[in-house]
Amino acid sequence: MNLGAKYREAGISITNFIGVGLVSFRMYPSGIQSAIQGFGKGAVLSTSTLSPGTITLIAIWVVGLIASETALLFTNTSWAMPLFIGYLLYMLQFFYFVRYIGRFGFFMPILHFFSALFFIIVMLYSIYQVVFLRKVSWKGRHIHVGGKRNL
């Protein structure tokens, strides 16, 4: 996003075609800890670059996702079917997304509650780092964020 913003500032137009068939790499080859640190370092900080309208739409989407994943908790209630339909709609959306953004296997969209759980953990970790520690960890380094720097 930062690179795209710099291009726009310089008057260079940008277009995102998601990279299907053009780019292939493993984003975090060092494993789950590397992925958590990588996503966690920018998860909360990057929201400051978004407009309030965009944040609102993302929040609505995430709340709907998490709500749909509670369908099994409401099995014998009138909420079960609407939540299950929501789960299926999110599953279809994930099937669409993964065709263009990577190789996640067939079951990731079906069992997307694991991805949502990972997302929640990363967001909480990011909030903890930014709000309480005032630093983020990445590739063995600690980077100070916000406020006055303590030397």
Side-chain angles (χ1 to χ4, degrees), residues 79-97:
W79 287 88
M81 190 52 67
L83 291 172
F84 181 69
I85 290 169
Y87 190 92
L88 292 177
L89 291 172
Y90 278 100
M91 182 178 71
L92 291 173
Q93 187 177 41
F94 285 128
F95 270 117
Y96 173 76
F97 286 157

Side-chain angles (χ1 to χ4, degrees), residues 117-133:
L117 181 61
F118 178 77
F119 170 78
I120 291 167
I121 290 168
V122 167
M123 289 303 291
L124 292 173
Y125 175 68
S126 186
I127 290 168
Y128 171 71
Q129 288 188 108
V130 171
V131 174
F132 297 105
L133 299 180

Side-chain angles (χ1 to χ4, degrees), residues 47 49 89 101 118 133 136:
T47 59
T49 65
L89 291 172
I101 60 171
F118 178 77
L133 299 180
V136 295

Side-chain angles (χ1 to χ4, degrees), residues 1 13-20 22-23 100-101:
M1 286 181 60
S13 66
I14 56 171
T15 305
N16 180 1
F17 293 102
I18 305 179
V20 66
L22 301 173
V23 178
Y100 298 103
I101 60 171

